[in-house]
Amino acid sequence: MSDRIYIKSTREIELMRKAGKLTAQARSIARQAVSAGVTTKQIDRHVHDFIVKSGAYPTFLNYGGFPGSACISVNDEIIHGIPGKRVVHDGDIVSVDVGATLRGFVGDCAMTVPCGEISEEAKKLIEVTRQSFFEGLKFAKVGYRISDIGAAIQDYVESHGYSVVREYVGHGVGHELHEAPEVPNYRAGMRPDPRLVKGMTIAIEPMVNAGGPQVKQLSNGWTVVTADGSLSAHYENSILITDGEAEILTMAEDI
């Protein structure tokens, strides 16, 4: 990933809006597909088919060798869950991360979805994770620094007794899935720590654990889980820095 931060032109922003809307719709498709008895592969197939039929490409498919069109992570799985034969059960929480590339631009978003009736602990974790994104979004304005976003997320998450994953962070998004700058979800002593300017497009994506922040990677080389087996939730949107409030590019009814 280059260290250069790409400021998007008016034309590029319009293309990113289109890619973002499609990606948000794919996330909605995944949300609707989560139900007891389905496999993570079946959820992935719904996402794949929708993106392809819409004239776009599933960004994650073969990205670095990843074998699915969506990352589908269940319960203690934080990110990069590989779609497969795993069956989703009532009471599970399912994190779905989706990317779509349309006309050379990428949309990237994620959310954690309940399957049927879930525990009060799981409900609270999902709600806090989602709201932590919006706490960070308050600082996604011209003049603030990237680190201000992460500080707001961390403070909110920890005020509810949860922890923020450190090893994986948000990022710039646009021509590529991962562009500069990195966008940590915690108070980081960043060097450099760029100021936000109009035309920047970034993905803010808090990953929040009910237990400790420590993680481990499974032997498949992709899936990351909580080290203590606690639940984890994920929430992400691609956003545009404007003259005023940030614009959420991956806008859909389920955000």
Side-chain angles (χ1 to χ4, degrees):
M1 183 174 74
S2 169
D3 292 334
R4 179 185 174 188
I5 297 175
Y6 291 93
I7 306 303
K8 308 307 188 293
S9 68
T10 300
R11 172 186 169 276
E12 290 171 327
I13 288 168
E14 190 53 40
L15 290 171
M16 287 206 64
R17 287 190 178 109
K18 293 177 180 178
K21 181 178 180 180
L22 190 154
T23 308
Q25 291 171 334
R27 178 176 59 183
S28 295
I29 293 292
R31 176 177 57 82
Q32 294 162 14
V34 172
S35 61
V38 304
T39 65
T40 55
K41 184 64 177 178
Q42 287 173 316
I43 298 169
D44 181 74
R45 176 52 58 181
H46 284 294
V47 170
H48 175 92
D49 290 350
F50 173 78
I51 292 173
V52 171
K53 288 177 182 177
S54 300
Y57 182 81
T59 312
F60 298 170
L61 185 59
N62 299 318
Y63 185 84
F66 187 76
S69 295
C71 298
I72 305 176
S73 309
V74 182
N75 295 334
D76 66 330
E77 296 175 345
I78 303 168
I79 52 171
H80 302 162
I82 297 175
K85 296 179 180 180
R86 180 170 183 169
V87 176
V88 177
H89 299 286
D90 189 67
D92 286 342
I93 62 173
V94 183
S95 297
V96 182
D97 194 353
V98 179
T101 302
L102 179 67
R103 296 174 63 184
F105 287 87
V106 177
D108 186 16
C109 61
M111 70 184 306
T112 299
V113 180
C115 179
E117 289 298 317
I118 61 174
S119 68
E120 290 303 315
E121 176 195 14
K123 288 179 184 177
K124 181 182 176 185
L125 176 65
I126 291 173
E127 290 168 0
V128 168
T129 303
R130 179 183 182 279
Q131 184 58 35
S132 73
F133 164 86
F134 288 98
E135 295 299 317
L137 191 68
K138 294 175 182 177
F139 294 88
K141 298 178 182 179
V142 170
Y144 285 102
R145 293 189 181 275
I146 287 290
S147 62
D148 293 323
I149 297 172
I153 291 171
Q154 179 183 3
D155 288 349
Y156 183 79
V157 167
E158 292 181 352
S159 74
H160 289 272
Y162 299 135
S163 60
V164 175
V165 170
R166 303 296 203 275
E167 287 83 355
Y168 301 90
V169 298
H171 49 88
V173 63
H175 300 280
E176 305 291 340
L177 174 60
H178 293 114
E179 296 182 352
E182 290 192 339
V183 185
N185 301 302
Y186 55 92
R187 183 175 278 97
M190 297 179 63
R191 295 292 184 273
D193 184 10
R195 289 194 184 276
L196 298 167
V197 300
K198 182 180 179 181
M200 287 177 65
T201 49
I202 59 176
I204 302 174
E205 54 173 322
M207 291 153 272
V208 179
N209 296 345
Q214 294 79 16
V215 307
K216 63 181 180 181
Q217 189 176 66
L218 299 185
S219 58
N220 63 25
W222 282 102
T223 309
V224 179
V225 301
T226 58
D228 58 11
S230 63
L231 293 175
S232 187
H234 185 190
Y235 190 79
E236 174 186 22
N237 280 304
S238 301
I239 70 165
L240 166 69
I241 305 301
T242 73
D243 284 329
E245 300 294 325
E247 177 185 342
I248 299 176
L249 297 171
T250 43
M251 178 68 76
E253 72 278 3
D254 59 12
I255 72 157

